[in-house]
Amino acid sequence: MLDEVLKGEIQAAYRRVLEGLDLTPRYGQRLMIAEIARTLAGIERDEAGRRTSDEHVCVLEAGTGTGKTLAYLLAALPVAKARGKRLVIATATVALQEQVLHQDLPALKAHSGLDFDFALAKGRGRYICVARLDQALDGGEENPTLSLFEQSLASGGDAFQALAQSLGEAYGNGRWAGDRDSWPEAIEDSHWRRLTVDHRQCTNRRCGHFGACAFFRSRRHLDSADVIVANHDLVLADLALGGGVVLPAPGDCIYVFDEGHHLPDKALQHFTHRFAVGGALRWLRTLKKSLAELNTALAVQPTLARLLAGLPQAIDALEPRLGEAFALGHQLAERPQGLVDGEESRHHRFEMGRAPEALRELAAALVVIFAELSRTLESMSDILRESLDPDKHTGLPREQAEAWLPLVALLHGRALEAHALWLAFGEQDDPGEPPRARWLTLERFGGEPELTFSASPVSAAHTLARTLWGSSFGAVVTSATLTALGRFERLQERAGLANRYRYQRLPSPFDYSRAVLSVPREAVDPADREGHERAIVDFVEGLGEHEAVLMLFSSRAQLRGVEKALSSPRRERVLAQDRLPKRELISRHRARVDAGEGSIIFGLASFAEGIDLPGDYLTHVVITRLPFSVPDDPVGATLAEWIESRGGNPFMRISVPDASIKLVQACGRLIRKEADSGRITLLDRRVLTRRYGRALLDALPPFVREIDGVRQDT
């Protein structure tokens, strides 16, 4: 139960914020505060403060205008402090992360009366490595390992040196904090890779530059912060490392996942393994050529000498096996000749994720070899790390260890990833569980043919249930769109959320009767591709001269086809995605509206979410086609196969619920403020003619409906 002291603290903070920011209290916001506070404060604990109850997660769908951020901060922060836990706010997009960090948290601190500190958490790879920057400023002369791998990848030598000089000066005089995102200009990936390290390459306190390290400077602030602002990827990466590596341990955290509908897809990306055969052969050959240099530098240490002596045998065992994998992959993909002219890439998916016997046998052999290589490289890394410690006497000079550890750690990471991929290809799936998706990708890399093996679970539910929900002290999942067809089942299935958790849809503050949802006579079944495209063109030609319109397309080809077919005067009013950067496109649209002119944005799926054009900046949303995703990606297709094999209907179980979420998001572009109004037009007649159409319409907010020009009673 929520004790009276804590309840009073939350209520008083809410009153002060409303007064300080001159806000009107919202019913949905008050409900959200109460639900989060009840859930988190009601968690049962043992004497050590560990959670002993299983009703510690609440899932809240709260539409635009609810004031979600303020609600979860006001409710969760006092509970976290009272329970001695850290509050981790995880967003899916940079825009929301910046809003929470630079607007919401400062406003809360200024007006709520709550005493707290907050900090931004980023992965190590977002920060400059001072040791690498120092080497770059020396021209790489002091680091012999650069010649092995990075030299061949390095591009624009003068540009890189100029960049390193600018970064070094800005970091040295305190004008820059050392993180990539705060540098005023975009930094090329190839340049940044030479200036940062991952957790395996970093030597932590043993580094000679530790006192000036950008990452650990940020960590010192992080260690004392009550609120940590992160993103979904960083939380998942920390969990994949066992938890408590970059962020506090899950048992010491209360998590809030804003934009929570993205979490299942983000998790799947983290649990996908890939292995590029050509790339592996290239780095193995480079390593083979460099063994003499490695021995000269490191073999003065007896154990390293023994480990290095075994590397030629491991490489000799791997190279022919990888050659077999390259040939077998092309044979299985029925493309011995590789890609045809004009073809950039091609997937070959194994039905139900079942790899052929020959490939499983090859995978089993590769698992053994990569396991041995991983152990060798790990042992070498450990000795190199120990050699950096002045209290340890390994027989290897510190300078040698510091120069070679980044390379050995890099190779160790590659060997581990290769081991994980081949293990996934060689393992048998549990007959009662969904299979892994397994596939090949043929593509070109630098003009050379490449073959990549990939394996992924089709659902992250089990992993999230175990590593996140099961291990955290408490959690809140929220978004404007968490339900599909008005229910939470699809999210539960994808995110591993248990039935016993608390679920609630909060009322919106908006009056949706101010908007009309129209399915006009011009709406056509997209099965008639030419007729559907003509109907869209005719509809655009008939739009009012001064309308502010967002038209959402399901395919780039159709967007381009419609744009091309428009009359010249109408085409001049169109701002099409990919013709301009997103920010510039939105800026021009706003400028046209401010000037009293009409403007039409043509956008794809990414414009159905995250676009905020309130008031007169958007008065008409046109959805050209119901947002069905064909499960033709390897993961979705394998899941669909598995559902069908068990007598299910993947279209009704996956495609329709997912389309419902996307349709709600698309319609949500129109009403962004309480006074907003306008029209939503759906140019896909299937919503009226197919049996799933009623369910899709019923899941939308209560707009006024207009079918074939006739207003309907809701």
Side-chain angles (χ1 to χ4, degrees):
M1 294 293 291
L2 185 61
D3 66 67
E4 291 302 316
V5 174
L6 203 50
K7 184 177 179 180
E9 184 181 0
I10 293 170
Q11 289 176 338
Y14 187 38
R15 283 196 300 272
R16 285 192 288 266
V17 169
L18 292 175
E19 291 169 5
L21 298 176
D22 194 23
L23 299 174
T24 303
R26 299 168 183 175
Y27 178 59
Q29 188 177 58
R30 292 201 303 269
L31 282 180
M32 188 170 180
I33 292 171
E35 186 65 21
I36 293 172
R38 274 196 297 268
T39 300
L40 300 179
I43 297 171
E44 297 174 9
R45 310 175 307 284
D46 60 18
E47 291 181 358
R50 294 183 295 252
R51 176 178 56 80
T52 59
S53 60
D54 281 334
E55 296 182 6
H56 60 294
V57 179
C58 65
V59 182
L60 304 171
E61 182 175 88
T64 305
T66 303
K68 291 189 291 292
T69 312
L70 185 59
Y72 61 63
L73 289 172
L74 277 166
L77 179 54
V79 177
K81 293 200 70 174
R83 300 292 184 260
K85 305 300 176 185
R86 315 283 290 285
L87 182 60
V88 176
I89 310 297
T91 71
T93 61
V94 172
L96 182 56
Q97 187 181 62
E98 290 180 346
Q99 178 195 309
V100 172
L101 191 71
H102 300 303
Q103 298 176 36
D104 299 319
L105 280 167
L108 187 71
K109 185 160 183 161
H111 298 289
S112 67
L114 299 173
D115 181 26
F116 65 93
D117 289 318
F118 58 91
L120 174 65
K122 295 181 183 180
R124 193 182 262 99
R126 305 305 295 178
Y127 291 92
I128 196 86
C129 171
V130 180
R132 286 205 163 189
L133 179 61
D134 198 34
Q135 291 162 3
L137 292 172
D138 286 340
E141 299 296 329
E142 302 302 316
N143 184 9
T145 66
L146 184 66
S147 63
L148 291 182
F149 291 94
E150 293 165 334
Q151 197 68 55
S152 62
L153 297 174
S155 60
D158 291 343
F160 176 73
Q161 285 305 128
L163 172 67
Q165 191 69 39
S166 298
L167 295 175
E169 289 174 1
Y171 190 66
N173 62 30
R175 287 188 293 108
W176 178 53
D179 64 297
R180 182 179 183 178
D181 304 300
S182 66
W183 189 250
E185 299 168 0
I187 301 175
E188 287 184 25
D189 288 344
S190 60
H191 290 165
W192 185 254
R193 275 195 300 269
R194 296 172 61 184
L195 296 169
T196 191
V197 293
D198 62 21
H199 71 281
R200 290 190 188 88
Q201 296 169 305
C202 180
T203 57
N204 297 339
R205 296 182 183 277
R206 292 165 171 161
C207 177
H209 298 275
F210 180 77
C213 178
F215 174 69
F216 283 101
R217 279 181 177 176
S218 73
R219 285 301 305 266
R220 284 193 280 275
H221 191 195
L222 207 65
D223 289 341
S224 62
D226 303 293
V227 183
I228 298 170
V229 181
N231 58 31
H232 294 186
D233 288 311
L234 185 61
V235 173
L236 291 164
D238 188 58
L239 294 173
L241 294 170
V245 178
V246 180
L247 299 170
D252 294 328
C253 288
I254 292 174
Y255 296 100
V256 176
F257 290 96
D258 204 339
E259 302 174 308
H261 59 285
H262 286 293
L263 187 62
D265 286 330
K266 294 274 188 185
L268 272 183
Q269 293 167 16
H270 273 268
F271 306 135
T272 297
H273 299 294
R274 295 181 179 85
F275 181 82
V277 181
L281 284 167
R282 284 190 291 274
W283 65 258
L284 281 169
R285 286 167 187 156
T286 307
L287 176 58
K288 193 174 184 179
K289 292 175 185 175
S290 308
L291 283 174
E293 196 175 353
L294 273 163
N295 275 287
T296 301
L298 304 180
V300 294
Q301 206 279 343
T303 307
L304 284 174
R306 178 178 56 80
L307 293 167
L308 283 165
L311 280 178
Q313 184 179 349
I315 296 170
D316 288 343
L318 266 176
E319 284 185 317
R321 288 293 193 179
L322 293 180
E324 286 179 48
F326 198 81
L328 181 58
H330 280 80
Q331 180 185 331
L332 292 171
E334 299 174 352
R335 285 295 183 91
Q337 78 282 8
L339 296 172
V340 299
D341 289 342
E343 198 175 20
E344 293 183 2
S345 65
R346 184 175 187 268
H347 287 317
H348 175 80
R349 182 180 62 83
F350 297 111
E351 188 176 339
M352 288 288 284
R354 285 193 286 262
E357 185 63 29
L359 183 53
R360 289 214 309 275
E361 289 177 1
L362 180 59
L366 285 165
V367 164
V368 174
I369 304 172
F370 273 115
E372 183 60 36
L373 181 60
S374 297
R375 283 192 291 270
T376 297
L377 292 167
E378 183 176 23
S379 297
M380 291 176 66
S381 294
D382 290 343
I383 294 169
L384 293 174
R385 286 180 193 281
E386 283 188 18
S387 301
L388 298 175
D389 193 330
D391 297 329
K392 300 283 179 70
H393 303 288
T394 65
L396 184 71
R398 177 191 174 94
E399 295 75 22
Q400 294 288 75
E402 196 162 33
W404 289 92
L405 177 61
L407 172 68
V408 176
L410 174 70
L411 297 177
H412 179 219
R414 291 185 177 187
L416 285 174
E417 177 61 16
H419 178 264
L421 180 281
W422 292 114
L423 192 64
F425 259 85
E427 285 179 334
Q428 294 279 7
D429 292 322
D430 185 335
E433 296 294 325
R436 286 179 190 262
R438 297 176 176 89
W439 70 98
L440 313 172
T441 305
L442 279 65
E443 54 195 335
R444 297 189 191 280
F445 180 77
E448 294 294 316
E450 181 59 279
L451 174 70
T452 303
F453 289 79
S454 303
S456 170
V458 296
S459 170
H462 178 73
T463 305
L464 287 175
R466 177 173 49 84
T467 62
L468 179 54
W469 317 125
S471 61
S472 66
F473 182 80
V476 177
V477 182
T478 188
S479 171
T481 47
L482 290 178
T483 59
L485 302 174
R487 299 186 296 274
F488 286 100
E489 281 87 342
R490 178 71 176 134
L491 178 68
Q492 288 177 295
E493 179 182 62
R494 299 185 68 221
L497 291 159
N499 285 327
R500 63 180 175 274
Y501 299 156
R502 302 168 76 110
Y503 298 86
Q504 191 168 348
R505 297 179 72 189
L506 301 169
S508 171
F510 295 152
D511 178 6
Y512 286 105
S513 68
R514 296 174 62 89
V516 173
L517 174 66
S518 168
V519 185
R521 291 188 179 89
E522 297 95 323
V524 173
D525 190 322
D528 177 6
R529 291 181 61 184
E530 291 184 6
H532 187 233
E533 192 166 302
R534 277 198 309 274
I536 297 171
V537 171
D538 292 344
F539 188 83
V540 177
E541 295 286 0
L543 287 169
E545 287 299 317
H546 302 290
E547 286 192 79
V549 183
L550 171 62
M551 291 200 70
L552 296 170
F553 291 82
S554 61
S555 81
R556 185 172 271 101
Q558 189 178 64
L559 185 155
R560 295 283 175 252
V562 170
E563 184 186 19
K564 186 178 179 181
L566 292 174
S567 62
S568 295
R570 188 60 57 172
R571 197 182 310 131
E572 288 174 4
R573 287 181 52 201
V574 170
L575 294 165
Q577 184 176 350
D578 294 342
R579 302 282 193 212
L580 293 166
K582 193 173 187 178
R583 185 174 295 181
E584 175 66 16
L585 187 150
I586 297 297
S587 176
R588 290 195 188 185
H589 173 82
R590 285 174 171 264
R592 286 182 180 182
V593 173
D594 288 339
E597 303 169 2
S599 181
I600 305 169
I601 295 174
F602 276 16
L604 297 166
S606 62
F607 275 59
E609 186 180 359
I611 296 290
D612 192 21
L613 293 168
D616 292 339
Y617 290 119
L618 184 57
T619 56
H620 195 168
V621 173
V622 182
I623 301 164
T624 60
R625 182 176 181 150
L626 290 172
F628 286 115
S629 294
V630 180
D632 55 359
D633 69 285
V635 175
T638 303
L639 177 59
E641 267 180 355
W642 181 74
I643 291 171
E644 200 163 3
S645 73
R646 298 169 69 87
N649 183 336
F651 180 74
M652 295 303 295
R653 184 167 161 184
I654 301 173
S655 300
V656 174
D658 288 356
S660 173
I661 293 172
K662 292 173 184 174
L663 189 60
V664 171
Q665 289 170 343
C667 292
R669 296 312 94 210
L670 183 66
I671 305 292
R672 309 300 296 170
K673 304 286 184 185
E674 291 185 14
D676 286 356
S677 61
R679 175 176 288 267
I680 299 165
T681 300
L682 185 55
L683 294 175
D684 188 336
R685 187 153 290 274
R686 290 177 298 175
V687 78
L688 303 178
T689 60
R690 304 296 173 87
R691 63 189 180 96
Y692 54 75
R694 168 65 67 177
L696 291 175
L697 288 175
D698 288 347
L700 295 174
F703 304 115
V704 174
R705 292 194 189 162
E706 187 179 281
I707 309 299
D708 292 340
V710 179
R711 293 265 175 132
Q712 308 286 306
D713 294 327
T714 56

